[in-house]
Amino acid sequence: MNPASCGTPAANPWLAFPVQITGITDETPGVSTYELQLTDAEVARNYRFQPGQFNMLYLPGVGEAAISLSGQSESGDRLRHTVRLAGNVTHSLAGLGVGGRFGLRGPFGTPWPMEECRGRDVVAVAGGLGLAPLRPAIDAILNAPDEYGQLTILYGARTPEHLLFEQVYPDWRQNGAVVNVTVDRSLPGWQGHVGVVPLLVDRMQLPDPENTVFLICGPDVMMKYTVSSALNRGVPAERIWINMERNMNCAVGLCGHCQYGPEFICKDGPVLRYDRVQPMLRVEDL
Ligand SMILES: Cc1cc2nc3c(=O)[nH]c(=O)nc-3n(C[C@H](O)[C@H](O)[C@H](O)COP(=O)(O)OP(=O)(O)OC[C@H]3O[C@@H](n4cnc5c(N)ncnc54)[C@H](O)[C@@H]3O)c2cc1C
């Protein structure tokens, strides 16, 4: 079996596949989406990922960073990663430009529970860059509308300037999704909601809470209050899934950097069912 054939890490998970940057889209201040071509034809043919998984981007001489897959090109042969400038790896990546080459290993991690979403209403809730790991799940649902119930997307960002993927919201709405957006701080011309994301959960239509799946990704505090709002609306804890991003190094459960109670976020997560991690949610990042 080819290492990258089924959304699981390579047989040798330390092996980085060569990639070349084929496109860069500036999204919001400090955030860009990189379109990457796997340059080995066989790896490119066989590489598969599932919504919610991530790759380790390897910049030789600099280091590695875990970055979620935010999608793929229509042709399917190019991977998208949406990256915020943080430290060494992300700044070096930004310095490469179109045509730049580096390495990628993966995919790693647990995916969003697409099987459980089938036949149910789905609420995707994101804060800031958290919309990036949710985008492949949103695309999967909108590409197979008969297989899922109503999709609602609730999204919050610091200001209107920080709204990620704003150009696709009209398409999402046209394809049947309810899209509600809020900002912490308004700017001149903004007509939408102002306030935190959990308020959108408090106010949304939720006709069948017991049969609704919540997929949540964002800062810890946002996830905590969003979960609490969902529980208050009658959504069962086992229908709530959160994406826990923690500092990690190896991505294969060996180094222990991302250990979280009995779980290793890199291999048991990053997508975890809320009731499994609820007792540990007060633990700070290492
Ligand atoms: C499963 C998973 C998925 C992820 N997905 C994404 C994603 O899709 N997109 C994304 O952008 N990130 C994502 N991250 C986060 C990303 O892995 C980290 O931000 C990573 O540390 C970036 O690597 P770096 O070498 O650029 O930064 P590092 O050098 O590792 O810096 C790490 C921290 O130090 C701070 N820091 C470093 N240098 C400076 C400096 N000079 N001044 C001030 N602060 C500094 C950064 O703010 C950051 O908080 C994900 C993480 C995980 C675990």
Side-chain angles (χ1 to χ4, degrees):
M1 185 181 69
N2 185 287
S5 63
C6 61
T8 53
N12 176 357
W14 304 108
L15 192 67
F17 304 127
V19 290
Q20 182 166 30
I21 302 173
T22 52
I24 302 174
T25 306
D26 291 333
E27 304 280 4
T28 62
V31 176
S32 301
T33 296
Y34 295 83
E35 194 165 84
L36 306 178
Q37 170 101 59
L38 289 150
T39 54
D40 180 304
E42 201 195 333
V43 171
R45 214 173 18 257
N46 291 303
Y47 184 97
R48 301 274 184 284
F49 72 94
Q50 298 175 56
Q53 290 194 297
F54 66 95
N55 283 315
M56 296 298 287
L57 303 191
Y58 168 52
L59 280 282
V62 182
E64 285 189 308
I67 303 290
S68 303
L69 284 135
S70 61
Q72 61 194 128
S73 60
E74 276 80 52
S75 51
D77 64 341
R78 289 168 192 190
L79 308 174
R80 292 191 183 131
H81 289 83
T82 301
V83 183
R84 173 163 40 217
L85 290 173
N88 296 337
V89 172
T90 47
H91 276 97
S92 296
L93 178 63
L96 287 181
V98 173
R101 292 169 185 265
F102 59 99
L104 164 160
R105 50 189 189 97
F108 295 112
T110 51
W112 295 110
M114 302 312 294
E115 268 312 308
E116 186 182 335
C117 292
R118 261 174 227 282
R120 297 193 165 95
D121 291 343
V122 178
V123 184
V125 194
L129 198 57
L131 193 56
L134 272 168
R135 188 166 172 181
I138 291 170
D139 289 341
I141 292 170
L142 294 179
N143 285 337
D146 297 342
E147 295 178 27
Y148 302 92
Q150 175 64 51
L151 172 64
T152 303
I153 300 164
L154 306 179
Y155 178 50
R158 268 188 285 161
T159 73
E161 275 190 339
H162 291 85
L163 290 170
L164 202 57
F165 309 140
E166 205 181 357
Q167 72 285 0
V168 297
Y169 305 166
D171 291 346
W172 287 349
R173 289 191 174 107
Q174 202 173 346
N175 290 329
V178 172
V179 183
N180 275 330
V181 174
T182 186
V183 295
D184 295 340
R185 192 161 44 82
S186 176
L187 288 176
W190 176 249
Q191 304 281 322
H193 296 284
V194 178
V196 293
V197 183
L199 285 177
L200 298 179
V201 178
D202 294 340
R203 294 171 187 157
M204 70 176 288
Q205 299 279 337
L206 201 50
D208 188 6
E210 294 199 350
N211 251 323
T212 300
V213 181
F214 267 68
L215 312 177
I216 309 173
C217 188
D220 278 10
V221 66
M222 168 262 168
M223 293 205 290
K224 178 178 161 186
Y225 287 105
T226 300
V227 166
S228 165
S229 293
L231 292 170
N232 285 340
R233 297 290 310 270
V235 179
E238 64 271 18
R239 294 245 188 276
I240 300 175
W241 296 75
I242 59 177
N243 187 315
M244 303 281 305
E245 292 188 355
R246 287 293 184 270
N247 287 339
M248 61 179 62
N249 270 4
C250 74
V252 290
L254 289 179
C255 75
H257 262 76
C258 66
Q259 185 163 4
Y260 191 64
E263 319 273 0
F264 287 93
I265 298 293
C266 62
K267 66 180 184 61
D268 302 316
V271 175
L272 292 157
R273 211 173 78 178
Y274 170 71
D275 57 340
R276 274 184 61 194
V277 287
Q278 188 266 338
M280 298 177 293
L281 273 176
R282 276 166 300 158
V283 179
E284 297 292 329
D285 200 356
L286 298 175

